[in-house]
Amino acid sequence: MAQLFAEHNRHEVQAFAYKEDIHQPEPFETAKAFLKFLQVPEDRLPSKRPSAPKFNFGSFLEAANLVSQSIKEKHFAQSDPLVWKNTGQKPHRGPVADATCKPDITVAFEKDFDGDNTTLWPCIQLAGERVSQGKSREDHEKQAISYLHYLLLVRPDLYVAQGILTSENDVMFLLGIGGFGIRSFTIDWTSKKLYKLMYAFIYRLYEPGDFVDRSYKKMEPDHTRDFVTYTVGIATTTETEGDGAVEVEVDCPDLVPIYASNPFETRTHVLSSPHSTFMVNGRVLSVLKDQFCRLGTQFNEQDILNRIHTPEKVPGVVEMVYHKMMDLPYLEELDVQVRRGKNRIGVRQLGTPFKSISTLQEMLRTVFDLLEAIVFCAHKLAVLRFLRVERQVLHRDISIGNVMFIKPTTPTDIVETAVEKAPLKFVKYILGESDDPQETSVLLVDFNHAEDLSIDQGAEHGGAILIGTPIFIARAVERGAAYPFPEDGTILPAIPHIPDCYASNHPDRRKKFPIEEKKVLLEPSADSSGRPWRHELNHDAESVFWLLLYWSMVVQPEGYPAEFLKANSWASILGTPDERHFFLIVSLVNRPPERPRGIIHSFYHPLLRLLHDLAKILYVDRFWLDNNDTRNDPEYIAEGFQRLILQFLIENRNKDFMKCQVSGQLREVEEIPQMQRPPCTCATCQPENAEKSRKRLSADSREDEQREPKRNRLDPTASEMVPEDDPDEDEDISEESDDSSEDEELDDSSEDDE
């Protein structure tokens, strides 16, 4: 398990970035409404306010601990006591990497605190903030909200996270509601209702009720290695004599959290058991994914996966062994416009992240297999191409988190495939390095955004819907329309040569995509007029390019001097579609590949030729081409990529730069003045960085974007487009108080609601 954690960067959760539309708290209108949401039985609440303790800013923790002890003694005598502690200068341990995340107030069971008053993040029951001098109230509130974000990510068992913000005048109760947002209630220290509300708030920590997912049976912390494991109850159907099918819950142990994101939207948790022997219907369950999904949508992941693997299994695609849609009972108390449920899926295969691939050679082989061929029902199609053409499924979210690396499979690992009908031919087989055509290291996961093209969706079928992961999303998909045609024309590159070993395995591809020379295209084809745009296979193939480029830019070869990643290059690929397109032109298409530029580590200099050739294929959107142009086929980009990657593998097989292990440390972005510094390069921050970049595009500019972000001169005799200027021209790789009676009745009507 520790090794698994290391491979997954120890489950570093998504970094917090405040967004007003998501994180702005919605206040409960009355104390009564807040108390109703807490759902603490009335007979468990005090009917009178005692003389002590009294809550105020200075004595808050002391009073909270007295109430906590009282609740334990009256209602939870067998429980370990919940302890409130001042932990403001100490970061807690575990998957939260945010250096600013040091809660002033931490609540956990006494047994979970260490001697230095810290604990593991998954052991925290509540995290809060104290308003102090030096920061505004608003900043303190945002800090308290960030703790809710992290609690919902590190606690897959939580539906509702509790937080608190205290100041000289009042206390703000905070509730982070998974898949919904944040609710709050603020009350003065002098209010007669405060004691009752605090009592209910603390009671809910001892007995979470609907605030937790009861299927999480047990959490076991490992304080020496700073991670936790969970035992989750899995409801399965069992046939019994006389009673027919009966649902039985069995425990799935030793599940380790490896991924978490989007706590207030599509809240997602992935847990794995690398050495699992837990069986569901005769198949091992290795990975469990919980994800909040909208109810009533046309597509869902379980149906998509069933379609993909019917009638035969598709190697290279994750296999589902368990599924259950779970209700979210706490949402019944809220005015929710978008109904969600928790979609639980168990899968058989366990992979490691794409960025964990250890050599350039293995990375390119994995990318090839992602695009590569299987033969099925007389079609020879790539995994992505096969899903699109034969299964009528588009993945629509090819990204660093959804393409996994696995140890090469053996024939017994893949069952019920159409081996006799149509042998699979992945890269090692084509290269003559394996006798098993099914041997592959790629595993495509997460079909939550996939589209079933066999379902008629009407006139808006496949329309301009932004789906994908920033950095990896195709430029046209991010725009919601075809990428503009170059205003001064362009040169379409020649269709790549087909390697002999590839052609002999796929003669139909040679016929479908014959060699064609480059040609000049001065204006869009008349066929493009009125042509509808939709997300297609070529856009998923473009995402593969950005995935390949990402790995190539960030890896540092083991044993070689560190080189900084050029800040302008990194900022560009985190930017808008236009910024990424301009990077494509200036840094890859128009720059001779022989000329080093600091985009990738100089040790991998030979890879620039491949990146250059791949980028040329992407330069012009196929939307503008003739209907009968071979390059207008949705499969063409995948085909061109496969040919180029395979040829590169053949020419450079087993060379030092191909086989060299990469360092466990990624390349750092060069330091530049603060005003010019690019966003954080942490993978967990990338969606926020890209979102900020997208906001730089005005709505008006989107309506008028039918030209290049940078004018180019067209030289019909040249092999490339020539930019007017090159920002990296001189670049060098070396730069690298309450007066009422003490026993007053706690009557909700005795005081106006705060």
Side-chain angles (χ1 to χ4, degrees), residues 615-647:
K616 287 197 298 183
I617 292 179
L618 290 177
Y619 177 49
V620 178
D621 196 317
R622 74 174 186 88
F623 181 89
W624 308 112
L625 306 183
D626 291 339
N627 290 336
N628 59 1
D629 192 311
T630 303
R631 301 169 183 85
N632 192 21
D633 192 303
E635 294 182 49
Y636 170 66
I637 291 180
E639 175 68 21
F641 282 8
Q642 288 171 273
R643 293 182 182 189
L644 292 169
I645 292 171
L646 186 61
Q647 188 63 44

mmCIF file of all heavy atoms in Angstrom, residues 615-647:
data_model
loop_
_atom_site.group_PDB
_atom_site.id
_atom_site.type_symbol
_atom_site.label_atom_id
_atom_site.label_comp_id
_atom_site.label_asym_id
_atom_site.label_seq_id
_atom_site.Cartn_x
_atom_site.Cartn_y
_atom_site.Cartn_z
ATOM 1 N N ALA A 615 2.610 18.112 -34.463
ATOM 2 C CA ALA A 615 1.983 19.432 -34.413
ATOM 3 C C ALA A 615 1.522 19.877 -35.784
ATOM 4 O O ALA A 615 0.478 20.535 -35.930
ATOM 5 C CB ALA A 615 2.958 20.442 -33.815
ATOM 6 N N LYS A 616 2.273 19.553 -36.836
ATOM 7 C CA LYS A 616 1.866 19.945 -38.191
ATOM 8 C C LYS A 616 0.526 19.334 -38.576
ATOM 9 O O LYS A 616 -0.289 19.967 -39.254
ATOM 10 C CB LYS A 616 2.936 19.519 -39.203
ATOM 11 C CG LYS A 616 4.199 20.357 -39.163
ATOM 12 C CD LYS A 616 5.040 20.171 -40.415
ATOM 13 C CE LYS A 616 5.509 18.734 -40.584
ATOM 14 N NZ LYS A 616 6.392 18.583 -41.759
ATOM 15 N N ILE A 617 0.292 18.103 -38.153
ATOM 16 C CA ILE A 617 -0.982 17.450 -38.474
ATOM 17 C C ILE A 617 -2.145 18.180 -37.818
ATOM 18 O O ILE A 617 -3.249 18.243 -38.365
ATOM 19 C CB ILE A 617 -0.941 15.970 -38.041
ATOM 20 C CG1 ILE A 617 0.040 15.199 -38.919
ATOM 21 C CG2 ILE A 617 -2.325 15.328 -38.095
ATOM 22 C CD1 ILE A 617 0.164 13.732 -38.554
ATOM 23 N N LEU A 618 -1.886 18.775 -36.648
ATOM 24 C CA LEU A 618 -2.949 19.455 -35.900
ATOM 25 C C LEU A 618 -3.176 20.889 -36.339
ATOM 26 O O LEU A 618 -4.171 21.505 -35.943
ATOM 27 C CB LEU A 618 -2.604 19.460 -34.401
ATOM 28 C CG LEU A 618 -2.653 18.136 -33.656
ATOM 29 C CD1 LEU A 618 -2.204 18.349 -32.217
ATOM 30 C CD2 LEU A 618 -4.062 17.548 -33.684
ATOM 31 N N TYR A 619 -2.264 21.438 -37.127
ATOM 32 C CA TYR A 619 -2.274 22.873 -37.384
ATOM 33 C C TYR A 619 -3.600 23.365 -37.959
ATOM 34 O O TYR A 619 -4.181 24.334 -37.494
ATOM 35 C CB TYR A 619 -1.119 23.219 -38.331
ATOM 36 C CG TYR A 619 -1.075 24.674 -38.716
ATOM 37 C CD1 TYR A 619 -1.167 25.663 -37.744
ATOM 38 C CD2 TYR A 619 -0.926 25.057 -40.047
ATOM 39 C CE1 TYR A 619 -1.123 27.001 -38.089
ATOM 40 C CE2 TYR A 619 -0.879 26.390 -40.399
ATOM 41 C CZ TYR A 619 -0.980 27.361 -39.417
ATOM 42 O OH TYR A 619 -0.954 28.676 -39.755
ATOM 43 N N VAL A 620 -4.128 22.692 -38.967
ATOM 44 C CA VAL A 620 -5.371 23.129 -39.601
ATOM 45 C C VAL A 620 -6.519 22.230 -39.164
ATOM 46 O O VAL A 620 -6.414 21.006 -39.212
ATOM 47 C CB VAL A 620 -5.252 23.098 -41.139
ATOM 48 C CG1 VAL A 620 -6.571 23.514 -41.784
ATOM 49 C CG2 VAL A 620 -4.139 24.017 -41.593
ATOM 50 N N ASP A 621 -7.611 22.850 -38.731
ATOM 51 C CA ASP A 621 -8.806 22.113 -38.328
ATOM 52 C C ASP A 621 -9.422 21.434 -39.553
ATOM 53 O O ASP A 621 -9.653 22.068 -40.588
ATOM 54 C CB ASP A 621 -9.814 23.082 -37.704
ATOM 55 C CG ASP A 621 -10.896 22.366 -36.913
ATOM 56 O OD1 ASP A 621 -11.401 21.338 -37.399
ATOM 57 O OD2 ASP A 621 -11.247 22.855 -35.818
ATOM 58 N N ARG A 622 -9.661 20.126 -39.458
ATOM 59 C CA ARG A 622 -10.206 19.391 -40.598
ATOM 60 C C ARG A 622 -11.569 19.903 -41.025
ATOM 61 O O ARG A 622 -12.024 19.609 -42.135
ATOM 62 C CB ARG A 622 -10.296 17.902 -40.268
ATOM 63 C CG ARG A 622 -11.430 17.529 -39.314
ATOM 64 C CD ARG A 622 -11.553 16.022 -39.144
ATOM 65 N NE ARG A 622 -12.728 15.680 -38.351
ATOM 66 C CZ ARG A 622 -13.942 15.480 -38.862
ATOM 67 N NH1 ARG A 622 -14.152 15.582 -40.160
ATOM 68 N NH2 ARG A 622 -14.960 15.184 -38.073
ATOM 69 N N PHE A 623 -12.230 20.668 -40.152
ATOM 70 C CA PHE A 623 -13.546 21.239 -40.449
ATOM 71 C C PHE A 623 -13.539 22.015 -41.762
ATOM 72 O O PHE A 623 -14.547 22.064 -42.474
ATOM 73 C CB PHE A 623 -13.958 22.158 -39.300
ATOM 74 C CG PHE A 623 -15.310 22.796 -39.445
ATOM 75 C CD1 PHE A 623 -16.446 22.159 -38.974
ATOM 76 C CD2 PHE A 623 -15.453 24.039 -40.054
ATOM 77 C CE1 PHE A 623 -17.698 22.739 -39.101
ATOM 78 C CE2 PHE A 623 -16.690 24.633 -40.192
ATOM 79 C CZ PHE A 623 -17.824 23.980 -39.713
ATOM 80 N N TRP A 624 -12.381 22.624 -42.125
ATOM 81 C CA TRP A 624 -12.313 23.506 -43.298
ATOM 82 C C TRP A 624 -11.960 22.769 -44.585
ATOM 83 O O TRP A 624 -11.848 23.393 -45.641
ATOM 84 C CB TRP A 624 -11.293 24.613 -43.039
ATOM 85 C CG TRP A 624 -11.531 25.339 -41.759
ATOM 86 C CD1 TRP A 624 -10.759 25.333 -40.642
ATOM 87 C CD2 TRP A 624 -12.652 26.170 -41.451
ATOM 88 N NE1 TRP A 624 -11.303 26.101 -39.651
ATOM 89 C CE2 TRP A 624 -12.475 26.634 -40.119
ATOM 90 C CE3 TRP A 624 -13.785 26.576 -42.157
ATOM 91 C CZ2 TRP A 624 -13.390 27.476 -39.491
ATOM 92 C CZ3 TRP A 624 -14.696 27.416 -41.526
ATOM 93 C CH2 TRP A 624 -14.496 27.858 -40.215
ATOM 94 N N LEU A 625 -11.778 21.448 -44.542
ATOM 95 C CA LEU A 625 -11.320 20.698 -45.708
ATOM 96 C C LEU A 625 -12.473 20.157 -46.540
ATOM 97 O O LEU A 625 -13.617 20.082 -46.090
ATOM 98 C CB LEU A 625 -10.418 19.541 -45.257
ATOM 99 C CG LEU A 625 -9.236 19.921 -44.354
ATOM 100 C CD1 LEU A 625 -8.400 18.689 -44.054
ATOM 101 C CD2 LEU A 625 -8.392 21.024 -44.974
ATOM 102 N N ASP A 626 -12.161 19.765 -47.782
ATOM 103 C CA ASP A 626 -13.160 19.160 -48.671
ATOM 104 C C ASP A 626 -13.704 17.877 -48.061
ATOM 105 O O ASP A 626 -12.997 17.154 -47.350
ATOM 106 C CB ASP A 626 -12.533 18.825 -50.028
ATOM 107 C CG ASP A 626 -12.186 20.058 -50.839
ATOM 108 O OD1 ASP A 626 -12.770 21.130 -50.564
ATOM 109 O OD2 ASP A 626 -11.326 19.954 -51.732
ATOM 110 N N ASN A 627 -14.932 17.572 -48.406
ATOM 111 C CA ASN A 627 -15.540 16.330 -47.912
ATOM 112 C C ASN A 627 -14.747 15.109 -48.332
ATOM 113 O O ASN A 627 -14.664 14.119 -47.593
ATOM 114 C CB ASN A 627 -16.978 16.204 -48.430
ATOM 115 C CG ASN A 627 -17.915 17.211 -47.797
ATOM 116 O OD1 ASN A 627 -17.661 17.708 -46.696
ATOM 117 N ND2 ASN A 627 -19.004 17.527 -48.490
ATOM 118 N N ASN A 628 -14.161 15.156 -49.529
ATOM 119 C CA ASN A 628 -13.453 13.981 -50.035
ATOM 120 C C ASN A 628 -11.958 14.000 -49.737
ATOM 121 O O ASN A 628 -11.220 13.139 -50.220
ATOM 122 C CB ASN A 628 -13.679 13.836 -51.545
ATOM 123 C CG ASN A 628 -13.192 15.059 -52.320
ATOM 124 O OD1 ASN A 628 -12.664 16.003 -51.728
ATOM 125 N ND2 ASN A 628 -13.368 15.039 -53.639
ATOM 126 N N ASP A 629 -11.500 14.973 -48.969
ATOM 127 C CA ASP A 629 -10.090 15.021 -48.603
ATOM 128 C C ASP A 629 -9.805 13.952 -47.549
ATOM 129 O O ASP A 629 -10.504 13.861 -46.536
ATOM 130 C CB ASP A 629 -9.730 16.407 -48.053
ATOM 131 C CG ASP A 629 -8.227 16.618 -47.928
ATOM 132 O OD1 ASP A 629 -7.544 15.735 -47.365
ATOM 133 O OD2 ASP A 629 -7.735 17.665 -48.381
ATOM 134 N N THR A 630 -8.799 13.126 -47.797
ATOM 135 C CA THR A 630 -8.459 12.050 -46.865
ATOM 136 C C THR A 630 -8.215 12.573 -45.461
ATOM 137 O O THR A 630 -8.574 11.937 -44.474
ATOM 138 C CB THR A 630 -7.193 11.313 -47.359
ATOM 139 O OG1 THR A 630 -7.434 10.822 -48.680
ATOM 140 C CG2 THR A 630 -6.839 10.155 -46.430
ATOM 141 N N ARG A 631 -7.644 13.794 -45.386
ATOM 142 C CA ARG A 631 -7.329 14.365 -44.081
ATOM 143 C C ARG A 631 -8.571 14.816 -43.324
ATOM 144 O O ARG A 631 -8.486 15.180 -42.152
ATOM 145 C CB ARG A 631 -6.376 15.550 -44.248
ATOM 146 C CG ARG A 631 -5.043 15.205 -44.937
ATOM 147 C CD ARG A 631 -4.296 16.478 -45.285
ATOM 148 N NE ARG A 631 -3.051 16.263 -45.995
ATOM 149 C CZ ARG A 631 -2.952 16.104 -47.313
ATOM 150 N NH1 ARG A 631 -4.052 16.105 -48.070
ATOM 151 N NH2 ARG A 631 -1.777 15.930 -47.879
ATOM 152 N N ASN A 632 -9.721 14.822 -43.972
ATOM 153 C CA ASN A 632 -10.981 15.222 -43.329
ATOM 154 C C ASN A 632 -11.662 14.062 -42.627
ATOM 155 O O ASN A 632 -12.695 14.223 -41.995
ATOM 156 C CB ASN A 632 -11.931 15.837 -44.355
ATOM 157 C CG ASN A 632 -13.125 16.526 -43.710
ATOM 158 O OD1 ASN A 632 -13.087 16.885 -42.536
ATOM 159 N ND2 ASN A 632 -14.196 16.694 -44.468
ATOM 160 N N ASP A 633 -11.106 12.873 -42.735
ATOM 161 C CA ASP A 633 -11.663 11.720 -42.038
ATOM 162 C C ASP A 633 -11.419 11.879 -40.539
ATOM 163 O O ASP A 633 -10.299 12.190 -40.127
ATOM 164 C CB ASP A 633 -10.992 10.437 -42.544
ATOM 165 C CG ASP A 633 -11.697 9.185 -42.081
ATOM 166 O OD1 ASP A 633 -11.844 9.019 -40.840
ATOM 167 O OD2 ASP A 633 -12.085 8.372 -42.928
ATOM 168 N N PRO A 634 -12.441 11.682 -39.675
ATOM 169 C CA PRO A 634 -12.237 11.817 -38.227
ATOM 170 C C PRO A 634 -11.131 10.914 -37.686
ATOM 171 O O PRO A 634 -10.555 11.197 -36.632
ATOM 172 C CB PRO A 634 -13.595 11.428 -37.627
ATOM 173 C CG PRO A 634 -14.577 11.684 -38.715
ATOM 174 C CD PRO A 634 -13.852 11.373 -39.994
ATOM 175 N N GLU A 635 -10.824 9.823 -38.414
ATOM 176 C CA GLU A 635 -9.774 8.908 -37.971
ATOM 177 C C GLU A 635 -8.376 9.350 -38.392
ATOM 178 O O GLU A 635 -7.386 8.772 -37.930
ATOM 179 C CB GLU A 635 -10.027 7.509 -38.532
ATOM 180 C CG GLU A 635 -11.263 6.816 -38.002
ATOM 181 C CD GLU A 635 -11.407 5.416 -38.573
ATOM 182 O OE1 GLU A 635 -10.392 4.673 -38.526
ATOM 183 O OE2 GLU A 635 -12.475 5.080 -39.076
ATOM 184 N N TYR A 636 -8.289 10.365 -39.274
ATOM 185 C CA TYR A 636 -6.980 10.663 -39.873
ATOM 186 C C TYR A 636 -5.926 11.079 -38.861
ATOM 187 O O TYR A 636 -4.774 10.637 -38.931
ATOM 188 C CB TYR A 636 -7.100 11.740 -40.956
ATOM 189 C CG TYR A 636 -5.745 12.224 -41.401
ATOM 190 C CD1 TYR A 636 -4.875 11.350 -42.067
ATOM 191 C CD2 TYR A 636 -5.293 13.507 -41.090
ATOM 192 C CE1 TYR A 636 -3.605 11.757 -42.443
ATOM 193 C CE2 TYR A 636 -4.023 13.915 -41.453
ATOM 194 C CZ TYR A 636 -3.181 13.040 -42.128
ATOM 195 O OH TYR A 636 -1.915 13.435 -42.474
ATOM 196 N N ILE A 637 -6.274 11.957 -37.922
ATOM 197 C CA ILE A 637 -5.267 12.406 -36.964
ATOM 198 C C ILE A 637 -4.712 11.229 -36.172
ATOM 199 O O ILE A 637 -3.501 11.104 -35.971
ATOM 200 C CB ILE A 637 -5.846 13.490 -36.037
ATOM 201 C CG1 ILE A 637 -6.109 14.771 -36.828
ATOM 202 C CG2 ILE A 637 -4.911 13.764 -34.864
ATOM 203 C CD1 ILE A 637 -6.683 15.899 -36.008
ATOM 204 N N ALA A 638 -5.596 10.322 -35.740
ATOM 205 C CA ALA A 638 -5.128 9.128 -35.024
ATOM 206 C C ALA A 638 -4.217 8.294 -35.913
ATOM 207 O O ALA A 638 -3.171 7.806 -35.474
ATOM 208 C CB ALA A 638 -6.318 8.310 -34.547
ATOM 209 N N GLU A 639 -4.598 8.148 -37.178
ATOM 210 C CA GLU A 639 -3.786 7.362 -38.111
ATOM 211 C C GLU A 639 -2.425 8.001 -38.324
ATOM 212 O O GLU A 639 -1.390 7.325 -38.274
ATOM 213 C CB GLU A 639 -4.519 7.223 -39.441
ATOM 214 C CG GLU A 639 -3.732 6.528 -40.541
ATOM 215 C CD GLU A 639 -3.482 5.058 -40.266
ATOM 216 O OE1 GLU A 639 -4.226 4.478 -39.445
ATOM 217 O OE2 GLU A 639 -2.551 4.496 -40.863
ATOM 218 N N GLY A 640 -2.410 9.306 -38.583
ATOM 219 C CA GLY A 640 -1.135 9.999 -38.778
ATOM 220 C C GLY A 640 -0.242 9.908 -37.564
ATOM 221 O O GLY A 640 0.979 9.684 -37.673
ATOM 222 N N PHE A 641 -0.830 10.081 -36.390
ATOM 223 C CA PHE A 641 -0.059 9.968 -35.150
ATOM 224 C C PHE A 641 0.552 8.580 -35.002
ATOM 225 O O PHE A 641 1.718 8.429 -34.631
ATOM 226 C CB PHE A 641 -0.953 10.269 -33.947
ATOM 227 C CG PHE A 641 -1.216 11.727 -33.701
ATOM 228 C CD1 PHE A 641 -0.820 12.696 -34.604
ATOM 229 C CD2 PHE A 641 -1.869 12.138 -32.548
ATOM 230 C CE1 PHE A 641 -1.060 14.042 -34.380
ATOM 231 C CE2 PHE A 641 -2.115 13.473 -32.297
ATOM 232 C CZ PHE A 641 -1.709 14.427 -33.212
ATOM 233 N N GLN A 642 -0.243 7.554 -35.286
ATOM 234 C CA GLN A 642 0.255 6.186 -35.134
ATOM 235 C C GLN A 642 1.452 5.923 -36.039
ATOM 236 O O GLN A 642 2.443 5.319 -35.630
ATOM 237 C CB GLN A 642 -0.864 5.190 -35.425
ATOM 238 C CG GLN A 642 -1.932 5.136 -34.356
ATOM 239 C CD GLN A 642 -3.113 4.301 -34.806
ATOM 240 O OE1 GLN A 642 -4.016 4.817 -35.449
ATOM 241 N NE2 GLN A 642 -3.085 3.034 -34.471
ATOM 242 N N ARG A 643 1.350 6.354 -37.268
ATOM 243 C CA ARG A 643 2.450 6.134 -38.208
ATOM 244 C C ARG A 643 3.722 6.840 -37.742
ATOM 245 O O ARG A 643 4.813 6.262 -37.756
ATOM 246 C CB ARG A 643 2.050 6.637 -39.597
ATOM 247 C CG ARG A 643 0.924 5.842 -40.244
ATOM 248 C CD ARG A 643 0.620 6.359 -41.635
ATOM 249 N NE ARG A 643 -0.491 5.630 -42.251
ATOM 250 C CZ ARG A 643 -0.844 5.769 -43.536
ATOM 251 N NH1 ARG A 643 -0.195 6.625 -44.313
ATOM 252 N NH2 ARG A 643 -1.857 5.072 -44.015
ATOM 253 N N LEU A 644 3.591 8.102 -37.335
ATOM 254 C CA LEU A 644 4.752 8.881 -36.929
ATOM 255 C C LEU A 644 5.389 8.332 -35.656
ATOM 256 O O LEU A 644 6.619 8.239 -35.551
ATOM 257 C CB LEU A 644 4.349 10.340 -36.725
ATOM 258 C CG LEU A 644 3.956 11.112 -37.991
ATOM 259 C CD1 LEU A 644 3.321 12.447 -37.621
ATOM 260 C CD2 LEU A 644 5.174 11.323 -38.890
ATOM 261 N N ILE A 645 4.557 7.970 -34.687
ATOM 262 C CA ILE A 645 5.087 7.444 -33.423
ATOM 263 C C ILE A 645 5.776 6.109 -33.650
ATOM 264 O O ILE A 645 6.873 5.857 -33.123
ATOM 265 C CB ILE A 645 3.960 7.320 -32.379
ATOM 266 C CG1 ILE A 645 3.473 8.715 -31.965
ATOM 267 C CG2 ILE A 645 4.434 6.534 -31.161
ATOM 268 C CD1 ILE A 645 2.225 8.711 -31.110
ATOM 269 N N LEU A 646 5.162 5.246 -34.445
ATOM 270 C CA LEU A 646 5.759 3.940 -34.701
ATOM 271 C C LEU A 646 7.094 4.087 -35.427
ATOM 272 O O LEU A 646 8.073 3.414 -35.092
ATOM 273 C CB LEU A 646 4.798 3.074 -35.509
ATOM 274 C CG LEU A 646 5.236 1.626 -35.731
ATOM 275 C CD1 LEU A 646 5.399 0.896 -34.403
ATOM 276 C CD2 LEU A 646 4.241 0.891 -36.625
ATOM 277 N N GLN A 647 7.144 4.960 -36.427
ATOM 278 C CA GLN A 647 8.393 5.167 -37.155
ATOM 279 C C GLN A 647 9.486 5.681 -36.232
ATOM 280 O O GLN A 647 10.643 5.255 -36.308
ATOM 281 C CB GLN A 647 8.173 6.155 -38.300
ATOM 282 C CG GLN A 647 9.361 6.287 -39.247
ATOM 283 C CD GLN A 647 9.675 4.979 -39.965
ATOM 284 O OE1 GLN A 647 8.772 4.285 -40.440
ATOM 285 N NE2 GLN A 647 10.962 4.621 -40.030
#
